[in-house]
Amino acid sequence: MHLAPDPAAPPAPQIGFDDWLCVDIRVGTIVEALPFPEARKPAYKLLIDFGPVIGQRKSSAQITEHYRLEDLPGMQVAAVLNFPPRQIGKFMSEVLTLGFPDAAGRVVLVQPSAPVPDGGRLF
């Protein structure tokens, strides 16, 4: 699941460190990627493994422009774990997979630059 923030918007209001600590961003490995033809915007269904403590979570991701289904399993990605689940059609997206817009507004996934243990929290 992805929101489409305006890249030309000014920075968000300043927050305190305690506010930052409330956002639980973790790394996980995509274990399964499936088509999501019933989504309104082109998307994939992802199953992401966040390690033994958290386990696997589902996500809908609008990443069809840059990523092929067969290339996604094994890829590590960042996601917000503590947003409420969101119903997207008949699919329940449990985490927000994170990305940045490219120059055309298409999503590029946030990934660690080297392998890290699944479930690691961003700091």
Side-chain angles (χ1 to χ4, degrees):
M1 115 174 101
H2 287 282
L3 305 177
D6 179 1
Q14 197 173 61
I15 63 171
F17 188 71
D18 288 341
D19 296 320
W20 165 249
L21 291 177
C22 291
V23 182
D24 192 0
I25 299 173
R26 302 210 184 211
V27 66
T29 299
I30 298 171
V31 294
E32 183 178 66
L34 299 171
F36 193 3
E38 59 272 22
R40 280 187 278 168
K41 294 182 180 179
Y44 295 142
K45 296 177 187 179
L46 305 178
L47 183 62
I48 306 169
D49 185 3
F50 292 97
V53 173
I54 298 167
Q56 297 181 347
R57 299 285 191 270
K58 298 180 291 183
S59 182
S60 169
Q62 296 171 4
I63 57 173
T64 59
E65 294 285 336
H66 286 295
Y67 303 94
R68 298 180 316 163
L69 283 172
E70 59 269 21
D71 295 334
L72 291 167
M75 183 180 291
Q76 286 194 302
V77 295
V80 176
L81 270 61
N82 62 335
F83 283 155
R86 184 173 174 196
Q87 190 77 41
I88 302 173
K90 293 182 180 181
F91 183 75
M92 182 65 73
S93 189
E94 301 170 311
V95 299
L96 175 64
T97 304
L98 299 175
F100 289 106
D102 68 8
R106 299 172 301 208
V107 178
V108 176
L109 291 170
V110 173
Q111 300 176 274
S113 59
V116 296
D118 288 334
R121 188 167 178 178
L122 181 69
F123 58 84

